[in-house]
Structures are given as structure tokens and as C-alpha cells.
Amino acid sequence: NAGVTQTPKFRILKIGQSMTLQCTQDMNHNYMYWYRQDPGMGLKLIYYSVGAGITDKGEVPNGYNVSRSTTEDFPLRLELAAPSQTSVYFCASSQYTSNNSPLHFGNGTRLTVT
Amino acid sequence: ELKVEQNPLFLSMQEGKNYTIYCNYSTTSDRLYWYRQDPGKSLESLFVLLSNGAVKQEGRLMASLDTKARLSTLHITAAVHDLSATYFCAVNAKGSGYALNFGKGTSLLVTP
């Protein structure tokens, strides 16, 4: 059972380049999320999705885009990368229930923009 | 805006000692989560607290929830080095597809 899989694990971008961070989950979860983690700042929500075809902005969406064409996949697109986007990015999924529904996190993508 | 505050943010403690991490949140929430993160790793779910007065224990860690006070505690009993990690509390953010709002984390170091 793979859970939430993110690729790549590491990436270095030059300012102005673009890239897509991939995220896929095999748990048939409806809810998926992208967070970024900066040192000492906890995790900030970038975008989320409540199901295929439905996405919405989180707390820090500027400079990012997402799509959700299938239940399994939730890629995050960075256009015109900036140094402020240097961070660790985590994808997560959940199936909200009345009993117990923590977010399941991928292993993260460490991105450096120089 | 939902705010989640943890304290302390840094904690150095000796093996064998007890300590408590506190998590306050600013608006009502129906559940609270505790996660552990080791350096360079992902986040691992520790506890989900679903109601007022809920208490959960796993090994040397015990979490509790007081929804009236909007307070959760993570108590560490007889700390061991393996507990060294960063601990996050989080609550559901309303209107964000049940996304979680996280505290800044408590970095715990257990020393001999």
C-alpha cells in the first residue's frame, strides 16, 4: 500500500522557470491538499480539493496552480519560480469521516529556487 | 481566522523527565490532531481527539482535549531519546475541505 506518493524528492530551479510537483494517492480519498513548510512556521495550506474536478485556494495560493482530473492525482504547478517559493512541499489526502480521519502525508518535495 | 498556538516552541529535556506541550486554538473545532515529524521526514499522525475530555495514550505520550478552553495538551512521561522530534498540533479549518491549520510545532530534544 503506497499511500501518498510525491515526485520529485528534490529539485533546484532557476528564477523564472516552471515545474510541476506530482502527487498521487491510492487510498481512494476524496480530499487532497498541498502544503508548504518553511522552517519554524508550521505548514501553510496552498490549495485543496474535495473531489475530482473541484479545487480551491488555501492560505497561500499566489504563484501556484493545481488541477484534479482524477481522484488519484493532484499536481501542483509553479509558474515563474521565485526565491520565496523555496520550501518543502507536502501533499496530503484524507477521507473525512465521523470517527477518525487524519491527513496522510507524502514524503515531501524539497524545492530550492536560485 | 483560525489560529493555533503551541508552546513551548523549543524544549530540551533530560531522559526520564516529564513535560507537557500546550496547544491553544482560537475558534471552535470538532477535532484536534497531533503529528510527529522527524528531521527531513514527513508527518506521522499520532492522535486524533474527537470530543471534549478525550484522552488518548500511546507509549510515553498522552494527549487530551478541552474544547471549552480550546486547549489540548501532549504529555510526555519519562522521556527517552527516541522521542526527540518536532510535534505539531492541528485543527480543522472550516470552509477549507477539512484542511488542517497547524501550529508552528514544538521541537523536542531529549538528552541523556
Side-chain angles (χ1 to χ4, degrees):
Chain A
N1 191 357
V4 179
T5 302
Q6 291 183 239
T7 57
K9 292 183 179 180
F10 304 95
R11 184 72 185 268
I12 299 174
L13 282 182
K14 294 187 183 299
I15 294 172
Q17 288 185 323
S18 61
M19 76 164 293
T20 299
L21 282 67
Q22 302 292 343
C23 175
T24 187
Q25 52 94 6
D26 63 359
M27 297 173 282
N28 202 34
H29 286 170
N30 285 331
Y31 300 92
M32 295 189 74
Y33 313 88
W34 275 105
Y35 286 90
R36 60 177 288 172
Q37 183 178 30
D38 300 303
M41 297 301 294
L43 283 81
K44 301 289 186 183
L45 181 67
I46 305 171
Y47 271 94
Y48 66 96
S49 170
V50 300
I54 306 170
T55 63
D56 208 343
K57 297 178 181 178
E59 184 181 359
V60 290
N62 291 343
Y64 307 95
N65 277 300
V66 293
S67 60
R68 184 94 182 271
S69 57
T70 66
T71 299
E72 294 78 18
D73 300 308
F74 190 39
L76 177 71
R77 178 84 176 164
L78 278 71
E79 306 281 2
L80 298 175
S84 61
Q85 293 178 305
T86 293
S87 188
V88 181
Y89 292 85
F90 286 100
C91 178
S93 73
S94 77
Q95 189 69 351
Y96 193 84
T97 68
S98 61
N99 293 326
N100 185 359
S101 54
L103 269 61
H104 299 264
F105 284 85
N107 287 328
T109 294
R110 187 174 297 273
L111 175 67
T112 302
V113 182
T114 62
Chain B
E1 178 189 348
L2 174 60
K3 294 184 179 180
V4 182
E5 295 185 347
Q6 290 181 235
N7 71 83
L9 297 181
F10 300 95
L11 176 57
S12 179
M13 57 190 297
Q14 285 186 311
E15 284 187 329
K17 299 292 187 181
N18 303 332
Y19 208 83
T20 300
I21 299 170
Y22 297 88
C23 174
N24 290 92
Y25 52 99
S26 60
T27 64
T28 56
S29 178
D30 63 346
R31 56 189 67 188
L32 186 136
Y33 303 78
W34 283 97
Y35 283 85
R36 168 181 171 145
Q37 185 180 37
D38 292 300
K41 302 294 185 181
S42 185
L43 283 83
E44 172 190 1
S45 176
L46 292 174
F47 301 109
V48 182
L49 301 169
L50 298 176
S51 61
N52 187 44
V55 177
K56 289 196 173 180
Q57 184 164 4
E58 180 74 30
R60 301 175 187 273
L61 300 177
M62 183 175 70
S64 66
L65 178 61
D66 181 345
T67 58
K68 294 179 181 178
R70 297 176 187 166
L71 171 68
S72 180
T73 61
L74 181 66
H75 187 72
I76 303 158
T77 302
V80 293
H81 179 70
D82 285 352
L83 290 179
S84 297
T86 299
Y87 294 86
F88 293 94
C89 66
V91 297
N92 285 110
K94 290 186 178 180
S96 297
Y98 303 111
L100 295 183
N101 269 34
F102 285 82
K104 292 185 177 180
T106 297
S107 181
L108 172 65
L109 176 63
V110 181
T111 58

